[in-house]
Amino acid sequence: MSKIEIRNHPKFSNVFISGPQERLRLYTTNLLEGKRVYGEKLINYKGIEYREWDPYRSKLAALILENPLTNLFYEDLKCLYLGASSGTTISHLSDIIHSGIIYSVEFAERSMRQLIQNTSKRLNIIPILADARFPETYAKYIFTNVDLIYQDVAQPRQAEIALENCNYYLKDDGILIIAIKSQSIDSIKKSEQIYAQEKRILEKNGLNIVESINIHKYAANHIILIAKKEIN
Ligand SMILES: C[S@@+](CC[C@H](N)C(=O)[O-])C[C@H]1O[C@@H](n2cnc3c(N)ncnc32)[C@H](O)[C@@H]1O
């Protein structure tokens, strides 16, 4: 039986890898030892417990495996996460950012209940039951501008929702990561047309798209855009 050897990710701090480059596996260290969030594999390596991070379940993991150039995480990152669901990706982000905070917005009550069950002991996660289309409704829960907005909401107006949240909450040199699902915007038009249309909306409204990464390998009809606020 081959033994897994876990090492630091060469670019992203607090993200770990094993295996050869073409079959890389991702991990984060488990903030809550012994606890799984979505049935992920737990691995003890040199006395530290790691959680395997599944790119087929988490678009952020898929993005990292596609090697983005932008540095996305640091320990005290403040993040607004739109489309929290039951906390699969958020739990890994919570492992990564230690002293940071994740404001986690989800509008489905059932998912919110699961999110709370899954993450209530993770003190860097603040669950917010709210609709991301109306950013003003959760202003009372968010105390400062954030460094990163991560959006994965599978809605028809994905670019507009992101923009409105950026205008409310993103600090001047902050980053937006948006997962665009073409099928949720228009199931008839070609995906490429939809991606171009969403990019245009973001760019016309003061966001600079620095990376556009196709993650079709892991999630059908999805790309991820990384954008920065243009400072005037
Ligand atoms: C694809 S899932 C998110 C998966 C999650 N990002 C992860 O990786 O663990 C999309 C989620 O967005 C939520 N959602 C969709 N529209 C929303 C909205 N307008 N406001 C808040 N949440 C929304 C859905 O209820 C669903 O839980």
Side-chain angles (χ1 to χ4, degrees), residues 12 60 63 67-72 148-149 174-179 202 207-213 223-229:
F12 297 111
L60 187 56
L63 173 68
N67 292 319
L69 299 171
T70 314
N71 195 7
L72 304 172
L148 172 70
I149 295 184
I175 291 178
L176 165 72
I177 302 178
I178 176 172
L202 294 175
L207 285 175
N208 206 349
I209 295 170
V210 289
E211 294 189 66
S212 167
I213 296 182
I223 55 162
I224 295 193
L225 303 179
I226 303 177
K228 288 190 176 159
K229 227 178 180 177

PDB file of all heavy atoms in Angstrom, residues 12 60 63 67-72 148-149 174-179 202 207-213 223-229:
ATOM      1  N   PHE A  12      -0.150  28.639  -2.024  1.00  0.00           N
ATOM      2  CA  PHE A  12      -1.188  29.069  -1.081  1.00  0.00           C
ATOM      3  C   PHE A  12      -0.888  28.581   0.336  1.00  0.00           C
ATOM      4  O   PHE A  12      -0.856  27.373   0.578  1.00  0.00           O
ATOM      5  CB  PHE A  12      -2.555  28.561  -1.533  1.00  0.00           C
ATOM      6  CG  PHE A  12      -2.968  29.141  -2.851  1.00  0.00           C
ATOM      7  CD1 PHE A  12      -3.042  28.359  -3.986  1.00  0.00           C
ATOM      8  CD2 PHE A  12      -3.256  30.495  -2.967  1.00  0.00           C
ATOM      9  CE1 PHE A  12      -3.399  28.906  -5.206  1.00  0.00           C
ATOM     10  CE2 PHE A  12      -3.610  31.060  -4.177  1.00  0.00           C
ATOM     11  CZ  PHE A  12      -3.678  30.259  -5.294  1.00  0.00           C
ATOM     12  N   LEU A  60     -13.930  26.111  -5.284  1.00  0.00           N
ATOM     13  CA  LEU A  60     -12.706  26.797  -4.862  1.00  0.00           C
ATOM     14  C   LEU A  60     -11.515  25.826  -4.942  1.00  0.00           C
ATOM     15  O   LEU A  60     -10.418  26.201  -5.360  1.00  0.00           O
ATOM     16  CB  LEU A  60     -12.883  27.347  -3.441  1.00  0.00           C
ATOM     17  CG  LEU A  60     -11.766  28.232  -2.901  1.00  0.00           C
ATOM     18  CD1 LEU A  60     -11.488  29.417  -3.815  1.00  0.00           C
ATOM     19  CD2 LEU A  60     -12.108  28.740  -1.498  1.00  0.00           C
ATOM     20  N   LEU A  63     -10.649  25.552  -8.543  1.00  0.00           N
ATOM     21  CA  LEU A  63      -9.891  26.738  -8.961  1.00  0.00           C
ATOM     22  C   LEU A  63      -8.417  26.594  -8.576  1.00  0.00           C
ATOM     23  O   LEU A  63      -7.522  26.845  -9.390  1.00  0.00           O
ATOM     24  CB  LEU A  63     -10.496  27.989  -8.293  1.00  0.00           C
ATOM     25  CG  LEU A  63      -9.729  29.287  -8.478  1.00  0.00           C
ATOM     26  CD1 LEU A  63      -9.772  29.741  -9.936  1.00  0.00           C
ATOM     27  CD2 LEU A  63     -10.282  30.409  -7.590  1.00  0.00           C
ATOM     28  N   ASN A  67      -4.413  26.323 -10.824  1.00  0.00           N
ATOM     29  CA  ASN A  67      -3.250  27.215 -10.649  1.00  0.00           C
ATOM     30  C   ASN A  67      -3.485  28.695 -10.964  1.00  0.00           C
ATOM     31  O   ASN A  67      -2.826  29.256 -11.845  1.00  0.00           O
ATOM     32  CB  ASN A  67      -2.081  26.742 -11.527  1.00  0.00           C
ATOM     33  CG  ASN A  67      -1.550  25.433 -11.039  1.00  0.00           C
ATOM     34  OD1 ASN A  67      -1.433  25.240  -9.824  1.00  0.00           O
ATOM     35  ND2 ASN A  67      -1.272  24.532 -11.964  1.00  0.00           N
ATOM     36  N   PRO A  68      -4.386  29.350 -10.250  1.00  0.00           N
ATOM     37  CA  PRO A  68      -4.540  30.796 -10.481  1.00  0.00           C
ATOM     38  C   PRO A  68      -3.278  31.539 -10.055  1.00  0.00           C
ATOM     39  O   PRO A  68      -2.537  31.070  -9.188  1.00  0.00           O
ATOM     40  CB  PRO A  68      -5.711  31.166  -9.568  1.00  0.00           C
ATOM     41  CG  PRO A  68      -5.715  30.129  -8.502  1.00  0.00           C
ATOM     42  CD  PRO A  68      -5.215  28.864  -9.139  1.00  0.00           C
ATOM     43  N   LEU A  69      -3.035  32.693 -10.690  1.00  0.00           N
ATOM     44  CA  LEU A  69      -1.826  33.460 -10.380  1.00  0.00           C
ATOM     45  C   LEU A  69      -2.036  34.349  -9.154  1.00  0.00           C
ATOM     46  O   LEU A  69      -1.097  34.662  -8.430  1.00  0.00           O
ATOM     47  CB  LEU A  69      -1.456  34.352 -11.574  1.00  0.00           C
ATOM     48  CG  LEU A  69      -1.159  33.598 -12.868  1.00  0.00           C
ATOM     49  CD1 LEU A  69      -1.025  34.551 -14.045  1.00  0.00           C
ATOM     50  CD2 LEU A  69       0.123  32.776 -12.685  1.00  0.00           C
ATOM     51  N   THR A  70      -3.279  34.767  -8.944  1.00  0.00           N
ATOM     52  CA  THR A  70      -3.586  35.708  -7.862  1.00  0.00           C
ATOM     53  C   THR A  70      -3.469  35.005  -6.513  1.00  0.00           C
ATOM     54  O   THR A  70      -3.939  33.879  -6.363  1.00  0.00           O
ATOM     55  CB  THR A  70      -5.035  36.221  -8.031  1.00  0.00           C
ATOM     56  OG1 THR A  70      -5.224  36.573  -9.392  1.00  0.00           O
ATOM     57  CG2 THR A  70      -5.329  37.404  -7.128  1.00  0.00           C
ATOM     58  N   ASN A  71      -2.860  35.710  -5.556  1.00  0.00           N
ATOM     59  CA  ASN A  71      -2.813  35.140  -4.210  1.00  0.00           C
ATOM     60  C   ASN A  71      -4.159  35.385  -3.530  1.00  0.00           C
ATOM     61  O   ASN A  71      -4.622  36.516  -3.460  1.00  0.00           O
ATOM     62  CB  ASN A  71      -1.667  35.768  -3.413  1.00  0.00           C
ATOM     63  CG  ASN A  71      -1.380  34.939  -2.178  1.00  0.00           C
ATOM     64  OD1 ASN A  71      -1.943  33.851  -2.009  1.00  0.00           O
ATOM     65  ND2 ASN A  71      -0.519  35.439  -1.314  1.00  0.00           N
ATOM     66  N   LEU A  72      -4.810  34.327  -3.068  1.00  0.00           N
ATOM     67  CA  LEU A  72      -6.201  34.479  -2.651  1.00  0.00           C
ATOM     68  C   LEU A  72      -6.394  34.520  -1.139  1.00  0.00           C
ATOM     69  O   LEU A  72      -7.373  35.074  -0.646  1.00  0.00           O
ATOM     70  CB  LEU A  72      -7.034  33.319  -3.212  1.00  0.00           C
ATOM     71  CG  LEU A  72      -6.966  33.144  -4.737  1.00  0.00           C
ATOM     72  CD1 LEU A  72      -7.665  31.877  -5.164  1.00  0.00           C
ATOM     73  CD2 LEU A  72      -7.575  34.345  -5.435  1.00  0.00           C
ATOM     74  N   LEU A 148     -12.257  39.965   0.458  1.00  0.00           N
ATOM     75  CA  LEU A 148     -12.618  39.015  -0.602  1.00  0.00           C
ATOM     76  C   LEU A 148     -14.120  38.779  -0.589  1.00  0.00           C
ATOM     77  O   LEU A 148     -14.707  38.566   0.478  1.00  0.00           O
ATOM     78  CB  LEU A 148     -11.896  37.683  -0.336  1.00  0.00           C
ATOM     79  CG  LEU A 148     -12.277  36.491  -1.210  1.00  0.00           C
ATOM     80  CD1 LEU A 148     -11.779  36.675  -2.638  1.00  0.00           C
ATOM     81  CD2 LEU A 148     -11.695  35.192  -0.651  1.00  0.00           C
ATOM     82  N   ILE A 149     -14.734  38.849  -1.781  1.00  0.00           N
ATOM     83  CA  ILE A 149     -16.116  38.361  -1.920  1.00  0.00           C
ATOM     84  C   ILE A 149     -16.052  37.122  -2.790  1.00  0.00           C
ATOM     85  O   ILE A 149     -15.469  37.141  -3.891  1.00  0.00           O
ATOM     86  CB  ILE A 149     -17.048  39.433  -2.531  1.00  0.00           C
ATOM     87  CG1 ILE A 149     -17.179  40.622  -1.569  1.00  0.00           C
ATOM     88  CG2 ILE A 149     -18.424  38.832  -2.839  1.00  0.00           C
ATOM     89  CD1 ILE A 149     -18.152  41.708  -2.003  1.00  0.00           C
ATOM     90  N   GLY A 174      -9.835  45.184  -2.926  1.00  0.00           N
ATOM     91  CA  GLY A 174     -10.319  43.826  -2.645  1.00  0.00           C
ATOM     92  C   GLY A 174     -10.504  42.988  -3.905  1.00  0.00           C
ATOM     93  O   GLY A 174     -10.443  43.478  -5.026  1.00  0.00           O
ATOM     94  N   ILE A 175     -10.761  41.702  -3.662  1.00  0.00           N
ATOM     95  CA  ILE A 175     -10.878  40.729  -4.760  1.00  0.00           C
ATOM     96  C   ILE A 175     -12.278  40.116  -4.781  1.00  0.00           C
ATOM     97  O   ILE A 175     -12.848  39.815  -3.726  1.00  0.00           O
ATOM     98  CB  ILE A 175      -9.840  39.604  -4.568  1.00  0.00           C
ATOM     99  CG1 ILE A 175      -8.436  40.152  -4.785  1.00  0.00           C
ATOM    100  CG2 ILE A 175     -10.087  38.442  -5.521  1.00  0.00           C
ATOM    101  CD1 ILE A 175      -7.360  39.126  -4.559  1.00  0.00           C
ATOM    102  N   LEU A 176     -12.791  39.953  -5.990  1.00  0.00           N
ATOM    103  CA  LEU A 176     -14.035  39.188  -6.179  1.00  0.00           C
ATOM    104  C   LEU A 176     -13.682  37.872  -6.872  1.00  0.00           C
ATOM    105  O   LEU A 176     -12.967  37.870  -7.885  1.00  0.00           O
ATOM    106  CB  LEU A 176     -15.007  39.975  -7.064  1.00  0.00           C
ATOM    107  CG  LEU A 176     -16.189  39.172  -7.632  1.00  0.00           C
ATOM    108  CD1 LEU A 176     -17.198  38.830  -6.530  1.00  0.00           C
ATOM    109  CD2 LEU A 176     -16.877  39.930  -8.761  1.00  0.00           C
ATOM    110  N   ILE A 177     -14.195  36.773  -6.316  1.00  0.00           N
ATOM    111  CA  ILE A 177     -14.120  35.492  -7.037  1.00  0.00           C
ATOM    112  C   ILE A 177     -15.562  35.097  -7.308  1.00  0.00           C
ATOM    113  O   ILE A 177     -16.361  34.980  -6.368  1.00  0.00           O
ATOM    114  CB  ILE A 177     -13.452  34.384  -6.192  1.00  0.00           C
ATOM    115  CG1 ILE A 177     -12.044  34.782  -5.773  1.00  0.00           C
ATOM    116  CG2 ILE A 177     -13.414  33.082  -6.978  1.00  0.00           C
ATOM    117  CD1 ILE A 177     -11.361  33.742  -4.885  1.00  0.00           C
ATOM    118  N   ILE A 178     -15.885  34.927  -8.569  1.00  0.00           N
ATOM    119  CA  ILE A 178     -17.269  34.579  -8.893  1.00  0.00           C
ATOM    120  C   ILE A 178     -17.298  33.322  -9.761  1.00  0.00           C
ATOM    121  O   ILE A 178     -16.601  33.235 -10.770  1.00  0.00           O
ATOM    122  CB  ILE A 178     -18.002  35.777  -9.559  1.00  0.00           C
ATOM    123  CG1 ILE A 178     -19.407  35.370  -9.991  1.00  0.00           C
ATOM    124  CG2 ILE A 178     -17.238  36.379 -10.711  1.00  0.00           C
ATOM    125  CD1 ILE A 178     -20.266  36.529 -10.468  1.00  0.00           C
ATOM    126  N   ALA A 179     -18.093  32.341  -9.310  1.00  0.00           N
ATOM    127  CA  ALA A 179     -18.298  31.134 -10.108  1.00  0.00           C
ATOM    128  C   ALA A 179     -19.509  31.410 -10.987  1.00  0.00           C
ATOM    129  O   ALA A 179     -20.596  31.706 -10.480  1.00  0.00           O
ATOM    130  CB  ALA A 179     -18.556  29.944  -9.193  1.00  0.00           C
ATOM    131  N   LEU A 202     -19.393  43.088 -15.591  1.00  0.00           N
ATOM    132  CA  LEU A 202     -18.470  43.390 -14.479  1.00  0.00           C
ATOM    133  C   LEU A 202     -17.513  44.508 -14.880  1.00  0.00           C
ATOM    134  O   LEU A 202     -17.295  45.457 -14.131  1.00  0.00           O
ATOM    135  CB  LEU A 202     -17.679  42.134 -14.073  1.00  0.00           C
ATOM    136  CG  LEU A 202     -18.492  40.987 -13.456  1.00  0.00           C
ATOM    137  CD1 LEU A 202     -17.602  39.767 -13.229  1.00  0.00           C
ATOM    138  CD2 LEU A 202     -19.137  41.402 -12.143  1.00  0.00           C
ATOM    139  N   LEU A 207     -14.999  46.764 -12.428  1.00  0.00           N
ATOM    140  CA  LEU A 207     -14.176  45.635 -11.970  1.00  0.00           C
ATOM    141  C   LEU A 207     -13.219  45.241 -13.095  1.00  0.00           C
ATOM    142  O   LEU A 207     -13.581  45.245 -14.266  1.00  0.00           O
ATOM    143  CB  LEU A 207     -15.049  44.448 -11.576  1.00  0.00           C
ATOM    144  CG  LEU A 207     -15.771  44.602 -10.241  1.00  0.00           C
ATOM    145  CD1 LEU A 207     -16.698  43.427 -10.004  1.00  0.00           C
ATOM    146  CD2 LEU A 207     -14.801  44.706  -9.081  1.00  0.00           C
ATOM    147  N   ASN A 208     -12.019  44.920 -12.683  1.00  0.00           N
ATOM    148  CA  ASN A 208     -10.973  44.549 -13.614  1.00  0.00           C
ATOM    149  C   ASN A 208     -10.817  43.028 -13.538  1.00  0.00           C
ATOM    150  O   ASN A 208     -10.425  42.511 -12.492  1.00  0.00           O
ATOM    151  CB  ASN A 208      -9.704  45.225 -13.079  1.00  0.00           C
ATOM    152  CG  ASN A 208      -8.730  45.471 -14.155  1.00  0.00           C
ATOM    153  OD1 ASN A 208      -8.901  44.970 -15.264  1.00  0.00           O
ATOM    154  ND2 ASN A 208      -7.702  46.225 -13.811  1.00  0.00           N
ATOM    155  N   ILE A 209     -11.126  42.328 -14.622  1.00  0.00           N
ATOM    156  CA  ILE A 209     -11.019  40.856 -14.549  1.00  0.00           C
ATOM    157  C   ILE A 209      -9.566  40.462 -14.747  1.00  0.00           C
ATOM    158  O   ILE A 209      -8.985  40.709 -15.806  1.00  0.00           O
ATOM    159  CB  ILE A 209     -11.935  40.187 -15.577  1.00  0.00           C
ATOM    160  CG1 ILE A 209     -13.385  40.528 -15.188  1.00  0.00           C
ATOM    161  CG2 ILE A 209     -11.730  38.676 -15.614  1.00  0.00           C
ATOM    162  CD1 ILE A 209     -14.414  40.172 -16.173  1.00  0.00           C
ATOM    163  N   VAL A 210      -8.971  39.868 -13.719  1.00  0.00           N
ATOM    164  CA  VAL A 210      -7.552  39.538 -13.819  1.00  0.00           C
ATOM    165  C   VAL A 210      -7.332  38.084 -14.233  1.00  0.00           C
ATOM    166  O   VAL A 210      -6.284  37.753 -14.786  1.00  0.00           O
ATOM    167  CB  VAL A 210      -6.791  39.875 -12.507  1.00  0.00           C
ATOM    168  CG1 VAL A 210      -6.681  41.377 -12.339  1.00  0.00           C
ATOM    169  CG2 VAL A 210      -7.424  39.259 -11.281  1.00  0.00           C
ATOM    170  N   GLU A 211      -8.314  37.238 -13.981  1.00  0.00           N
ATOM    171  CA  GLU A 211      -8.176  35.844 -14.422  1.00  0.00           C
ATOM    172  C   GLU A 211      -9.547  35.265 -14.742  1.00  0.00           C
ATOM    173  O   GLU A 211     -10.538  35.586 -14.075  1.00  0.00           O
ATOM    174  CB  GLU A 211      -7.516  34.989 -13.332  1.00  0.00           C
ATOM    175  CG  GLU A 211      -6.075  35.386 -13.063  1.00  0.00           C
ATOM    176  CD  GLU A 211      -5.370  34.412 -12.154  1.00  0.00           C
ATOM    177  OE1 GLU A 211      -5.163  33.265 -12.568  1.00  0.00           O
ATOM    178  OE2 GLU A 211      -5.033  34.813 -11.032  1.00  0.00           O
ATOM    179  N   SER A 212      -9.570  34.412 -15.752  1.00  0.00           N
ATOM    180  CA  SER A 212     -10.799  33.723 -16.136  1.00  0.00           C
ATOM    181  C   SER A 212     -10.426  32.247 -16.288  1.00  0.00           C
ATOM    182  O   SER A 212      -9.631  31.898 -17.157  1.00  0.00           O
ATOM    183  CB  SER A 212     -11.283  34.314 -17.463  1.00  0.00           C
ATOM    184  OG  SER A 212     -12.289  33.494 -18.002  1.00  0.00           O
ATOM    185  N   ILE A 213     -10.964  31.431 -15.419  1.00  0.00           N
ATOM    186  CA  ILE A 213     -10.469  30.046 -15.348  1.00  0.00           C
ATOM    187  C   ILE A 213     -11.618  29.062 -15.549  1.00  0.00           C
ATOM    188  O   ILE A 213     -12.628  29.104 -14.836  1.00  0.00           O
ATOM    189  CB  ILE A 213      -9.755  29.817 -13.990  1.00  0.00           C
ATOM    190  CG1 ILE A 213      -8.530  30.729 -13.959  1.00  0.00           C
ATOM    191  CG2 ILE A 213      -9.386  28.344 -13.812  1.00  0.00           C
ATOM    192  CD1 ILE A 213      -7.672  30.643 -12.755  1.00  0.00           C
ATOM    193  N   ILE A 223     -17.294  28.661 -15.191  1.00  0.00           N
ATOM    194  CA  ILE A 223     -15.961  29.263 -15.146  1.00  0.00           C
ATOM    195  C   ILE A 223     -15.872  30.056 -13.851  1.00  0.00           C
ATOM    196  O   ILE A 223     -16.896  30.382 -13.228  1.00  0.00           O
ATOM    197  CB  ILE A 223     -15.620  30.208 -16.329  1.00  0.00           C
ATOM    198  CG1 ILE A 223     -16.661  31.304 -16.459  1.00  0.00           C
ATOM    199  CG2 ILE A 223     -15.387  29.470 -17.595  1.00  0.00           C
ATOM    200  CD1 ILE A 223     -16.152  32.480 -17.281  1.00  0.00           C
ATOM    201  N   ILE A 224     -14.647  30.366 -13.484  1.00  0.00           N
ATOM    202  CA  ILE A 224     -14.446  31.228 -12.322  1.00  0.00           C
ATOM    203  C   ILE A 224     -13.694  32.465 -12.780  1.00  0.00           C
ATOM    204  O   ILE A 224     -12.690  32.368 -13.486  1.00  0.00           O
ATOM    205  CB  ILE A 224     -13.684  30.488 -11.203  1.00  0.00           C
ATOM    206  CG1 ILE A 224     -14.569  29.337 -10.704  1.00  0.00           C
ATOM    207  CG2 ILE A 224     -13.326  31.449 -10.083  1.00  0.00           C
ATOM    208  CD1 ILE A 224     -14.133  28.708  -9.424  1.00  0.00           C
ATOM    209  N   LEU A 225     -14.225  33.619 -12.395  1.00  0.00           N
ATOM    210  CA  LEU A 225     -13.542  34.876 -12.679  1.00  0.00           C
ATOM    211  C   LEU A 225     -12.951  35.420 -11.395  1.00  0.00           C
ATOM    212  O   LEU A 225     -13.592  35.342 -10.332  1.00  0.00           O
ATOM    213  CB  LEU A 225     -14.523  35.910 -13.236  1.00  0.00           C
ATOM    214  CG  LEU A 225     -15.301  35.516 -14.498  1.00  0.00           C
ATOM    215  CD1 LEU A 225     -16.260  36.643 -14.906  1.00  0.00           C
ATOM    216  CD2 LEU A 225     -14.326  35.215 -15.642  1.00  0.00           C
ATOM    217  N   ILE A 226     -11.752  35.949 -11.520  1.00  0.00           N
ATOM    218  CA  ILE A 226     -11.141  36.671 -10.399  1.00  0.00           C
ATOM    219  C   ILE A 226     -11.029  38.115 -10.850  1.00  0.00           C
ATOM    220  O   ILE A 226     -10.470  38.398 -11.912  1.00  0.00           O
ATOM    221  CB  ILE A 226      -9.752  36.099 -10.046  1.00  0.00           C
ATOM    222  CG1 ILE A 226      -9.872  34.597  -9.726  1.00  0.00           C
ATOM    223  CG2 ILE A 226      -9.144  36.853  -8.869  1.00  0.00           C
ATOM    224  CD1 ILE A 226      -8.545  33.916  -9.433  1.00  0.00           C
ATOM    225  N   ALA A 227     -11.610  39.010 -10.064  1.00  0.00           N
ATOM    226  CA  ALA A 227     -11.642  40.419 -10.479  1.00  0.00           C
ATOM    227  C   ALA A 227     -11.194  41.304  -9.328  1.00  0.00           C
ATOM    228  O   ALA A 227     -11.325  40.937  -8.155  1.00  0.00           O
ATOM    229  CB  ALA A 227     -13.054  40.786 -10.916  1.00  0.00           C
ATOM    230  N   LYS A 228     -10.658  42.473  -9.698  1.00  0.00           N
ATOM    231  CA  LYS A 228     -10.243  43.439  -8.673  1.00  0.00           C
ATOM    232  C   LYS A 228     -11.003  44.726  -8.901  1.00  0.00           C
ATOM    233  O   LYS A 228     -11.294  45.089 -10.048  1.00  0.00           O
ATOM    234  CB  LYS A 228      -8.742  43.700  -8.763  1.00  0.00           C
ATOM    235  CG  LYS A 228      -7.936  42.525  -8.269  1.00  0.00           C
ATOM    236  CD  LYS A 228      -6.480  42.857  -8.116  1.00  0.00           C
ATOM    237  CE  LYS A 228      -5.768  41.637  -7.527  1.00  0.00           C
ATOM    238  NZ  LYS A 228      -4.351  41.621  -7.768  1.00  0.00           N
ATOM    239  N   LYS A 229     -11.266  45.414  -7.808  1.00  0.00           N
ATOM    240  CA  LYS A 229     -11.940  46.698  -7.908  1.00  0.00           C
ATOM    241  C   LYS A 229     -10.976  47.692  -8.526  1.00  0.00           C
ATOM    242  O   LYS A 229      -9.814  47.757  -8.117  1.00  0.00           O
ATOM    243  CB  LYS A 229     -12.308  47.157  -6.505  1.00  0.00           C
ATOM    244  CG  LYS A 229     -13.717  47.650  -6.355  1.00  0.00           C
ATOM    245  CD  LYS A 229     -13.969  48.017  -4.908  1.00  0.00           C
ATOM    246  CE  LYS A 229     -15.356  48.517  -4.723  1.00  0.00           C
ATOM    247  NZ  LYS A 229     -15.683  48.819  -3.342  1.00  0.00           N
TER     248      LYS A 229
END
